[in-house]
């Protein structure tokens, strides 16, 4: 897990939190055996968007020090506080909440990471055309 913290913006969708395999058990039984990763139509997510890699790394370090480093999941309310503090996206005022969005709405790497992050897990920091992001997946449905 420590290597993920050093990877910073080079995460390319790899999961930061250990123990995220059991995240699928919260998924109300509708998901496929693989928790619907890559097969669902909609995802519910929060995110933090920063223009500078240093800022996203700072936010990620707070997540790492508080929860991810221990193998814990980041509580959505705590992720929301960091989004309000760090995110440059207008959604930051709402705790980074993007609500439900369909496959095809978000561009490139953001969609790839959002739809491949297990429910309850937090992505590593990654780069898109808009800047640097961290995503917390809160749900998925068809």
């Amino acid at each position: 897990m420590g290597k993920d913290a050093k990877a910073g913006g080079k995460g390319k969708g790899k999961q930061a939190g250990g123990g995220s395999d059991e995240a699928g058990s919260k998924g109300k039984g509708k998901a496929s055996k693989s928790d619907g990763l890559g097969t669902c139509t909609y995802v519910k997510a929060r995110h933090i968007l920063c223009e500078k890699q240093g800022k996203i790394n700072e936010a990620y370090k707070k997540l790492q020090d508080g929860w991810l480093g221990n193998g814990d999941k980041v509580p959505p309310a705590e992720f929301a506080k960091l989004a309000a503090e760090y995110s440059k996206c207008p959604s930051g005022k709402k705790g980074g909440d993007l609500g439900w969005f369909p496959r095809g709405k978000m561009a490139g790497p953001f969609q790839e990471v959002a739809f491949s992050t297990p429910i309850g897990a937090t992505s590593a920091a990654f780069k898109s055309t808009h800047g640097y992001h961290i995503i917390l997946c809160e749900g998925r449905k068809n």
Side-chain angles (χ1 to χ4, degrees), residues 107-120:
F110 191 94
Q111 174 175 283
E112 184 180 317
V113 174
F115 280 86
S116 64
T117 301
I119 295 170

Side-chain angles (χ1 to χ4, degrees), residues 3-72:
K3 66 181 183 224
D4 287 338
K6 291 186 184 214
K10 297 177 186 171
K12 292 209 178 186
K14 293 197 174 153
Q15 304 316 308
S20 60
D21 288 341
E22 64 263 33
S25 63
K26 285 186 163 183
K28 299 200 171 84
K30 283 188 173 182
S32 70
K33 290 178 223 158
S34 65
D35 189 27
L37 294 178
T39 61
C40 66
T41 308
Y42 290 86
V43 72
K44 184 176 192 299
R46 293 181 181 272
H47 81 130
I48 299 170
L49 168 66
C50 296
E51 295 170 358
K52 306 270 188 209
Q53 187 174 6
K55 274 290 186 196
I56 203 73
N57 288 345
E58 190 178 312
Y60 188 80
K61 183 167 179 7
K62 286 189 176 186
L63 294 171
Q64 188 76 18
D65 291 347
W67 300 275
L68 301 176
N70 301 325
D72 296 331

